């Protein structure tokens, strides 16, 4: 199996990069949608539009992209042996940060359900701050992946 995957290594990297890009688009956009959504009246027409946008973003983009990131990432680890003995700790740090981003997606999914029920209690400022946390995680993962600092 490793021989087969090695033959398609470049395509795996391309697919992984596309999936990461799609996932990050969703992770960065959804908190901004929530920031705007927090300012509208529950039950209004705007509220209903935000609910549809948030649901579709999670269902059609973020969930499949996150699944692809993890599956293809695992395949790339198998092919390259990254994270194994002597390869440095950068991959472990990258994996921890990626798992944190996955956990944050779970949190964003729960928040979507509170908006759907009209029970949001958080401010727009909270969601704008969460957006910047996700940007910081993205920057850290990119640095780890490209520089492999340790």
């Amino acid at each position: 199996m490793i021989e087969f995957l090695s033959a398609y290594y470049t395509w795996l990297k391309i697919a992984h990069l596309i999936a990461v890009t799609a996932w990050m688009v969703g992770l960065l956009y959804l908190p901004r949608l929530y920031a705007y959504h927090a300012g509208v009246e529950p039950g209004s027409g705007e509220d209903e539009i935000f609910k549809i946008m948030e649901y579709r973003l999670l269902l059609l983009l973020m969930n499949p992209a996150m699944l692809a990131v993890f599956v293809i990432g695992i395949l790339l680890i198998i092919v390259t042996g990254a994270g194994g003995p002597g390869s440095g700790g950068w991959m472990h740090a990258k994996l921890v940060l990626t798992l944190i981003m996955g956990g944050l997606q779970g949190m964003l999914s729960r928040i979507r359900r509170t908006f759907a029920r009209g029970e949001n209690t958080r401010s727009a400022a909270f969601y704008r701050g969460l957006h910047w946390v996700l940007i910081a995680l993205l920057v850290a993962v990119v640095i780890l992946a490209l520089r492999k600092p340790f």
Side-chain angles (χ1 to χ4, degrees), residues 4 18 23 29 37 39 45 52 61 79:
F4 174 79
I18 291 168
W23 188 32
Y29 185 47
H37 195 170
I52 292 167
L61 178 71
V79 169

Side-chain angles (χ1 to χ4, degrees), residues 74-98:
I74 290 167
L75 293 175
L76 285 169
I77 289 170
I78 291 168
V79 169
T80 62
S87 65
W90 66 272
M91 179 56 78
H92 297 98
K94 182 181 165 205
L95 288 172
V96 167
L97 295 178
T98 304

Side-chain angles (χ1 to χ4, degrees), residues 72-147:
I72 298 167
I74 290 167
L75 293 175
L76 285 169
I77 289 170
I78 291 168
V79 169
T80 62
S87 65
W90 66 272
M91 179 56 78
H92 297 98
K94 182 181 165 205
L95 288 172
V96 167
L97 295 178
T98 304
L99 290 172
I100 289 170
M101 287 193 296
L104 287 171
Q105 178 167 328
M107 181 181 120
L108 290 170
S109 182
R110 284 191 308 278
I111 289 169
R112 188 204 60 80
R113 290 190 295 273
T114 64
F115 272 112
R117 293 189 304 266
E119 299 172 356
N120 176 56
T121 58
R122 294 185 171 105
S123 69
F126 171 82
Y127 298 117
R128 283 191 298 271
L130 184 57
H131 170 86
W132 288 105
V133 167
L134 287 159
I135 287 175
L137 287 169
L138 170 62
V139 168
V141 168
V142 169
I143 290 169
L144 287 167
L146 296 178
R147 295 292 304 161

